[in-house]
Amino acid sequence: MTHGDPAHQGGGHARVDAGDGHLGLDQAFTSAGPAGPAAHAGWEAPPSRKGFFTDTSICIGCKACEVACKEWNGVPQDGIYELLGSSYDNTGALGANTWRHVEFIEQRTPMAGLDTGITIGVPETAVGPDVLVSEDILGSMARSVHDKPLVDLGMPAFDLPSASPDAGERTEFRWLMASNVCKHCTNAGCLDVCPTGALFRTEFGTVVVQDDICNGCGYCVAGCPFGVIDRRIGQKAPLVGHSDKPVTKNAGVAQKCTLCYDRLLDDLTPACAKACPTQSIQFGDVDELRERAEKRVADLQAAGVMGAQLYAEDPEGGVGGAGAFFLLLDEPEVYGFPPDPIVTTADLPRMWKHAGLAAAGLLAAAAAAFLGGRR
């Protein structure tokens, strides 16, 4: 088996249709159904849907998942020794060279009254409940989010501690850490817009890019509501002969997590979940993971962690329920997640219907003008 190259591997499961992995117009843009997305995509008697449940409450930010992902899938390094300057992170965000990314979020809110014992002086430069903001700015911000309450993003300040004369003494502090990854959506916009069939739905219900078919058009990049997919930058290999410059593997090709499709075919746990020392990343059947996640939220809330909530797991949500979902300790915006993600192709059927009606109207008007002119 070739690591990181899962294209066209069947794993003993057969597809009803032998097409390119795309559905007809009557089936596209919604994969939610009682039999699951794999059956909807044409797999005959597929295995149970596989996915991730990431419990961020026990993530320690060790980045073992990032390293394991790179090692198994042959993903190039990006930022081993460089820190971003805004946190202890060194990889920044998901991208073509980072299929797993651990978010580091410095926040003032304590966990359920937890006394961290940390007392540091900081400048009050971040927007928070103790920062004065003019009524005009506050009003416009509130209207822009439809009067939803503002969320403190917990962004770290760039000034030196206690540099501001208005700096106060702060005792509330915590780190939020979360290992982000492709959500493997039930309704996957990237899959809908791919013109070559490079993206396909596997028998495990996941979404995988076939490197040898992707033409690098980038439609999937814009089609992802989470900003997960990215095209790899680098020197492409020449079609004929050899290059004098170092060649980058899969340069120009869309890249993202495959949920270790090649390992699933061998009944192995994905590399990131295997390497996680705290079981923050849990792998298994999606239905069972949802039950486990709901129980974990209930336990945390019973313990006083009222901010605990699930993200992207709801089958009735805008992406039909993700195959990789999260337990968060704060609002999704704090972690850089869109609060209400919706599949980007949700409105395309309606738009095409209106475009068809408009075209039919123009043809009817042209025909009427032509016939009227001959009289």
Side-chain angles (χ1 to χ4, degrees), residues 291-351:
E291 295 178 1
R292 193 186 306 174
E294 290 171 357
K295 183 177 185 304
R296 174 65 176 162
V297 168
D299 290 344
L300 285 173
Q301 292 183 348
V305 188
M306 302 311 296
Q309 58 185 286
L310 295 182
Y311 177 74
E313 94 295 350
D314 185 4
E316 303 299 323
V319 297
F325 50 92
F326 301 81
L327 186 154
L328 306 178
L329 296 178
D330 209 322
E331 299 299 324
E333 300 97 315
V334 173
Y335 296 83
F337 294 154
D340 299 306
I342 298 175
V343 59
T344 53
T345 51
D347 291 330
L348 279 183
R350 179 176 56 83
M351 294 168 62

Side-chain angles (χ1 to χ4, degrees), residues 7 17 55-56 58 68 73 124 164 234 243 249 274 286 288 290 317 323 328-329 372:
D17 64 338
D55 183 352
T56 69
I58 52 176
N73 295 293
E124 298 292 352
S164 169
S243 173
K249 176 187 174 184
K274 188 74 174 178
V286 169
E288 193 276 332
R290 284 189 180 130
L328 306 178
L329 296 178

Side-chain angles (χ1 to χ4, degrees), residues 202-268:
T202 75
E203 63 269 46
F204 302 103
T206 57
V207 179
V208 172
V209 181
Q210 301 174 88
D211 299 331
D212 58 337
I213 299 178
C214 177
N215 64 1
C217 67
Y219 290 171
C220 57
V221 177
C224 175
F226 299 98
V228 167
I229 308 181
D230 190 17
R231 286 177 296 183
R232 183 168 293 161
I233 298 174
Q235 178 69 33
K236 294 184 179 180
L239 297 177
V240 180
H242 299 280
S243 173
D244 295 332
K245 300 179 181 178
V247 174
T248 302
K249 176 187 174 184
N250 293 330
V253 174
Q255 299 286 284
K256 74 172 194 67
C257 162
T258 68
L259 212 136
C260 285
Y261 183 40
D262 49 355
R263 291 179 64 90
L264 297 191
L265 293 172
D266 280 351
D267 199 24
L268 296 173

Side-chain angles (χ1 to χ4, degrees), residues 3 60 107 135 147 278 311 334 344 353:
H3 297 174
I60 59 175
Q107 196 183 53
E135 291 297 330
D147 295 332
T278 65
Y311 177 74
V334 173
T344 53
K353 180 181 179 180

Side-chain angles (χ1 to χ4, degrees), residues 49-72:
R49 186 180 183 185
K50 303 298 183 185
F52 289 128
F53 162 45
T54 302
D55 183 352
T56 69
S57 69
I58 52 176
C59 178
I60 59 175
C62 66
K63 287 183 175 279
C65 53
E66 288 192 24
V67 176
C69 175
K70 287 179 177 291
E71 179 70 20
W72 181 262

Side-chain angles (χ1 to χ4, degrees), residues 13 49 57 80 89 119 153 156 195 259 289 301 362 365:
H13 303 282
R49 186 180 183 185
S57 69
I80 291 180
D89 190 8
T119 302
L153 298 181
L259 212 136
L289 289 176
Q301 292 183 348
L362 289 175

